[in-house]
Amino acid sequence: MRNTTLIQGSGLLLLLVFWNSVTWHLQRFWDASGYFCQTQWENLLSTFEGYEWILYYIGVILVPGLCFWGLSGLLLLVDTTEKPTFISRYRIQRGKNEPVDPVKLRQALLTVLFNQNFISIPMLIIYYPFLKWRRDPCSRELPTFHWFLVEMAFFTLLQEILFYYAHRLFHHPMLYKKSHKKHHEWTAPIGVVSIYADPPEHVVANMLPVLVGPLAMGSHLSSITVWLSMVLIVSIISHTGYHLPFLPSPEFHDYHHLKSNQCYGVLGLMDHLHGTDTLFKQTKAYERHVILLGFTPLSESIPDSPKKTRSAL
C-alpha cells in the first residue's frame, strides 16, 4: 500500500509539474503573440466598422467551411482514386469503400451541400442576434489564453452530453427508421458523411449541441471560429474510415457505424456512464482506440483474432 501510494503520488506530482510547464510555455507564447493578434483584430474592426456582421460570417461560415472541405476534399481524393496506395493499410474496415460507390457518394454530397447551405448557414445567421444579445462576439478585446482553455473545455463537455442524448434519441426505433437510418447507410463511413443526415437530425444532433456552449458563455468570435473549425475537423476524422498516424483515433465512432447500438457519444464519457460501450470494450477495436504514434498500422500490430478473420473471409 505504501509503495502504491508513493508511486501514484510521484506520478501525480510529475503530471502536475508537466502540465504547469506546458501551460506556462503556452501562456508565454500567447502573451508574446497577443499584442500582434490584438492589433490585427482592432485593425479588422476599424476596417469593417459598422459591418461587423461580415467578420462574423467569415468567422463562423467561411473559415469552418474551408476547414471542412479542405480536409474532406483531400480524403475524397484518396477514397475515389485509392491513391496514394499506402494509405489503404490504415483502413479500419478492410474491403469497404475500395473504391467508394460513385452513385452513393453523389447522393451523400448533395445531402451535405443541402445541410450546409439551407440549414447550417441559416441557423448561423439567426444565431448572430442571440450572440449579440448575450455579449457582442465582435468585442474589441480578445479572450485571454486561460479563458480560451476554459471555454474549449466547457464546449467539449457540453457537446458530449447534448450530442449523446440527442444521438440516442434518434436511435429510438421510430426516429431511426424515419431519420437516422440515412446516416447509417454508411456502415463504413468516409469523412464527408460526417454531416450526411436528415434535416431534423442535422439541426438537433449536429448543430444545437455545438452552438449552445458559445451562447451560454457569451464567447468572442475568435473562440467560436476555433471551436466550430475544431468540431468539423474532429467529426471528419471520426468518420474518415482510416486510423492514420498522429491523429485522434476514429475507432470509437467507426464501431458505432458498424454495430449501430454502441458508442453514441463523442468522447466516450457518457457511454462509459451509461454502459453503452461494453461490447466495444471487448473488441480489438477498443485495444486499437489510441493515437497511433508510429507508421505501422494498428490493424497489423493488434490484428483481429484468427476466428474473426476466417469468418470475415
Side-chain angles (χ1 to χ4, degrees):
M1 179 66 72
R2 184 182 301 172
N3 291 337
T4 302
T5 303
L6 179 61
I7 293 172
Q8 290 179 342
S10 300
L12 183 61
L13 180 62
L14 287 173
L15 179 62
L16 183 62
V17 170
F18 177 75
W19 175 251
N20 286 338
S21 176
V22 169
T23 55
W24 182 80
H25 285 291
L26 288 174
Q27 179 67 55
R28 287 197 63 188
F29 171 78
W30 188 277
D31 289 341
S33 61
Y35 179 75
F36 172 80
C37 294
Q38 182 67 44
T39 302
Q40 299 310 309
W41 173 247
E42 290 178 2
N43 290 337
L44 283 173
L45 286 178
S46 299
T47 302
F48 291 93
E49 186 174 1
Y51 298 92
E52 288 83 1
W53 57 269
I54 296 177
L55 290 175
Y56 171 78
Y57 294 147
I58 291 173
V60 302
I61 295 173
L62 182 60
V63 174
L66 289 174
C67 290
F68 178 85
W69 286 110
L71 180 55
S72 61
L74 286 174
L75 292 167
L76 274 177
L77 286 175
V78 175
D79 290 325
T80 53
T81 65
E82 299 186 88
K83 294 179 181 179
T85 55
F86 75 88
I87 292 184
S88 63
R89 295 179 61 204
Y90 299 97
R91 189 180 294 278
I92 297 173
Q93 297 185 43
R94 297 292 180 88
K96 303 287 185 68
N97 297 326
E98 296 178 335
V100 173
D101 181 348
V103 176
K104 191 176 178 182
L105 176 60
R106 191 178 306 115
Q107 179 187 357
L109 288 173
L110 289 174
T111 300
V112 167
L113 288 169
F114 178 87
N115 285 343
Q116 282 187 320
N117 290 285
F118 295 100
I119 297 177
S120 296
I121 291 177
M123 283 187 70
L124 290 167
I125 292 173
I126 296 170
Y127 189 50
Y128 183 52
F130 286 95
L131 286 172
K132 283 186 70 69
W133 166 77
R134 179 67 180 84
R135 186 179 298 165
D136 186 4
C138 295
S139 59
R140 185 162 295 276
E141 188 174 352
L142 292 175
T144 65
F145 174 69
H146 285 102
W147 182 248
F148 172 79
L149 290 182
V150 169
E151 287 183 307
M152 292 302 116
F154 178 76
F155 298 164
T156 301
L157 181 59
L158 189 60
Q159 185 207 14
E160 168 72 3
I161 296 170
L162 296 179
F163 177 77
Y164 178 86
Y165 289 119
H167 192 183
R168 285 202 70 177
L169 176 65
F170 278 95
H171 271 268
H172 185 279
M174 289 181 60
L175 291 178
Y176 183 85
K177 185 177 181 181
K178 293 180 179 179
S179 183
H180 192 53
K181 187 176 181 181
K182 185 181 185 74
H183 186 68
H184 277 273
E185 290 171 3
W186 292 81
T187 54
I190 61 174
V192 76
V193 304
S194 57
I195 57 173
Y196 175 66
D198 267 359
E201 180 188 352
H202 186 57
V203 171
V204 175
N206 291 342
M207 294 295 294
L208 290 180
V210 175
L211 299 181
V212 170
L215 180 62
M217 298 287 280
S219 297
H220 193 274
L221 178 61
S222 57
S223 298
I224 300 172
T225 301
V226 172
W227 169 241
L228 294 180
S229 302
M230 185 175 69
V231 165
L232 287 170
I233 290 171
V234 170
S235 183
I236 290 170
I237 293 173
S238 297
H239 288 85
T240 187
Y242 299 96
H243 195 147
L244 297 171
F246 311 111
L247 293 179
S249 167
E251 300 280 354
F252 185 80
H253 195 71
D254 195 275
Y255 189 80
H256 173 74
H257 275 260
L258 181 65
K259 297 298 183 181
S260 178
N261 61 350
Q262 291 276 294
C263 308
Y264 297 100
V266 179
L267 302 174
L269 174 63
M270 298 302 295
D271 288 279
H272 177 73
L273 292 176
H274 287 281
T276 49
D277 60 354
T278 52
L279 295 180
F280 174 65
K281 289 179 177 177
Q282 299 170 19
T283 67
K284 291 290 184 178
Y286 176 68
E287 296 181 36
R288 294 190 285 260
H289 187 45
V290 294
I291 296 177
L292 175 58
L293 298 178
F295 295 99
T296 301
L298 288 170
S299 58
E300 296 178 10
S301 58
I302 309 176
D304 290 326
S305 63
K307 181 179 179 181
K308 186 172 181 179
T309 304
R310 286 197 301 271
S311 63
L313 296 172

